[in-house]
């Protein structure tokens, strides 16, 4: 663990972005650049930082000019992107009303650290200028990091920004941190006060999406549950059976969507309509919404069908055919420990017929439902190893008609 500021600075200089910046600006550059937040926290924990957040202790203009190129500026948030680097001016934030987006104003680095969500996210290391190599943080940040606990900086934190409740669960799961006692009280008070109703569904959705993309989304959903946050987001939301979700994830292949699967597991018991309404409110893309809503509504039924399927063609039928949703089949398989789900996910869904509808038309089958029936029969024969090639599949289709 890099504990001394000098070690931290050199660890930061080994990362691509800071090293490029120092090479281009020089170590003496002012206004000073600071690396702040997750990257420093992760280095202190001996973890590899995912991304590097940079703030500038002064106006962004000189940095942008020194880096060359026109910055893309977002004045409202005092941020700019220049030469592939995201920069933010050190700022203070005020919340016009609970749950609203903050109003930002230029401020010192110390003030910028005070606006943050949790003490362990307040570490900052100065990269350039006279303070180069200095480590700053909130007064209790080092203690909280050593004790591996999440604590807010002040008691209004969750009222200012209720999305921090979801962030807390995400960090607790990812870092394997507990929640400090006073912060637990603040969570309870905030939930009782109904803070989650003051923020838009899309902002909650954004944090839920990040949580579901964690390396261990099940653990993050369990953290939401333990803190009793999930049911306040929506009464239907809550991962009651984490082992069920884990079994479902174990059935997926790498290209399948773990996030959709875990969210569906956390919404089990809802109707497709209710699930779709919630997902719309949270701003999920239409395709995610549809797959998750179908999975929630059909998992039980498909699991019963899979239980009684044994021949490959029966399994494929029970699963709903080759274009069914893998999330649905994984969750169905997890409900009843069904090898059938695994067989479909690993093998059957990837198998495709050598013939198509056009071949049936050429063979004289009239356009209409007969085509689909014929293709289904050919597929069943193929899966049961009775029709390995185009000729035998065509014969199987025609025989069925
Ligand atoms: N932050 C905050 N309140 C929020 C969102 C962000 O205080 N609602 C602060 C946090 O201190 C965080 C920093 O902004 O460290 C960067 O936020 P973000 O990029 O969202 O962090 P993540 O990438 O989600 O997580 P990590 O801390 O691992 O970088």
């Amino acid at each position: 663990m890099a504990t001394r500021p000098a070690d931290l600075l050199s660890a930061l200089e080994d990362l691509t972005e800071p090293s490029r910046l120092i090479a281009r600006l020089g170590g003496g550059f002012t206004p000073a650049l600071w690396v702040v937040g997750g990257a420093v926290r992760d280095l202190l924990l001996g973890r590899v930082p995912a991304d590097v957040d940079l703030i500038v202790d002064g106006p962004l203009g000189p940095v942008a000019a020194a880096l060359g190129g026109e910055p893309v500026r977002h004045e409202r948030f005092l941020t700019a992107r220049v030469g592939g680097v995201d920069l933010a001016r050190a700022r203070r934030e005020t919340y016009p009303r609970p749950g609203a987006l903050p109003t930002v104003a230029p401020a010192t680095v110390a003030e910028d650290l005070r606006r943050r969500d949790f003490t362990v996210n307040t570490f900052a290391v100065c990269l350039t200028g006279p303070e180069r190599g200095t480590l700053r943080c909130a007064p209790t940040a080092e203690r909280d990091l050593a004790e591996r606990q999440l604590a807010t900086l002040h008691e209004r934190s969750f009222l200012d920004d209720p999305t921090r409740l979801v962030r807390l669960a995400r960090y607790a799961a990812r870092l394997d941190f507990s929640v400090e006692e006073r912060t637990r009280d603040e969570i309870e008070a905030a939930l009782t006060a109904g803070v989650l109703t003051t923020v838009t569904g899309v902002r909650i959705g954004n944090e839920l999406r990040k949580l579901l993309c964690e390396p261990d989304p099940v653990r993050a959903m369990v953290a939401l549950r333990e803190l009793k946050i999930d049911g306040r987001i929506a009464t239907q939301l809550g991962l009651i059976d984490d082992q069920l979700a884990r079994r479902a994830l174990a059935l997926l292949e790498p290209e399948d969507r773990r996030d959709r699967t875990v969210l569906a597991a956390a919404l089990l018991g809802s109707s497709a309509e209710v699930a779709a309404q919630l997902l719309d409110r949270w701003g999920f893309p239409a395709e995610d919404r549809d797959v998750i809503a179908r999975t929630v509504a059909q998992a039980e039924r498909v699991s019963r069908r899979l239980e009684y399927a044994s021949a490959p063609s029966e399994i494929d039928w029970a699963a709903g055919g080759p274009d069914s949703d893998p999330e649905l089949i994984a969750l169905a398989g997890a409900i009843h420990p069904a090898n059938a789900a695994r067989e479909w996910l690993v093998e059957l869904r990837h198998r495709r017929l050598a013939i198509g509808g056009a071949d049936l038309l050429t063979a004289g089958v009239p356009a209409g439902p007969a085509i689909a029936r014929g293709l289904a029969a050919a597929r069943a024969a193929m899966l049961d190893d009775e029709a390995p090639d185009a000729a035998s599949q065509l014969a199987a289709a025609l025989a069925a008609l």
Side-chain angles (χ1 to χ4, degrees), residues 57-231:
D57 189 11
L60 297 178
V63 191
L67 290 175
E70 267 306 293
V72 183
R73 279 170 188 280
H74 304 282
E75 293 294 348
R76 181 171 171 211
F77 295 109
L78 298 172
T79 59
R81 184 168 178 82
V82 50
V85 181
D86 285 313
L87 297 169
R89 196 200 192 299
R91 88 277 302 286
R92 128 169 40 92
E93 284 180 348
T94 45
Y95 292 84
R97 54 174 198 287
L101 285 173
T103 310
V104 306
T108 62
V109 171
E111 282 174 296
D112 189 292
L113 299 183
R114 278 202 291 276
R115 75 179 168 86
R116 289 171 185 264
D117 49 4
F118 306 111
T119 59
V120 296
N121 284 340
T122 65
F123 291 101
V125 173
C126 185
L127 276 189
T128 69
E131 287 189 275
R132 180 171 148 78
T134 305
L135 172 67
R136 289 235 185 109
C137 61
T140 52
E142 286 176 303
R143 180 204 67 192
D144 290 338
L145 195 77
E147 293 183 9
R148 302 181 71 84
Q149 64 179 7
L150 293 163
T152 53
L153 279 101
H154 58 86
E155 62 184 17
R156 289 195 52 81
S157 192
F158 295 121
L159 307 184
D160 286 344
D161 182 354
T163 67
R164 289 174 174 166
L165 292 162
V166 185
R167 299 176 62 84
L168 180 95
R170 178 158 64 87
Y171 287 123
R174 189 198 317 162
L175 303 173
D176 189 21
F177 274 28
S178 62
V179 181
E180 181 232 22
E181 220 172 289
R182 186 183 44 83
T183 301
R184 278 186 184 271
D185 295 341
E186 290 167 11
I187 295 170
E188 210 182 307
L191 291 174
T192 308
V195 285
L196 282 162
T197 59
T198 65
V199 13
T200 62
V202 172
R203 285 186 60 206
I204 293 176
N206 287 339
E207 288 297 340
L208 281 178
R209 281 181 281 280
K210 280 171 127 187
L211 179 143
L212 292 164
C213 289
E214 284 289 308
D216 189 348
V218 173
R219 188 161 183 192
M221 283 304 303
V222 168
L224 265 192
R225 184 157 191 80
E226 282 170 1
L227 296 163
K228 300 194 172 66
I229 297 166
D230 49 9

Side-chain angles (χ1 to χ4, degrees), residues 376-396:
R379 179 169 173 80
M382 171 189 70
L383 294 176
D384 292 342
D385 288 333
E386 288 158 8
D389 53 23
S392 52
Q393 289 167 13
L394 188 60

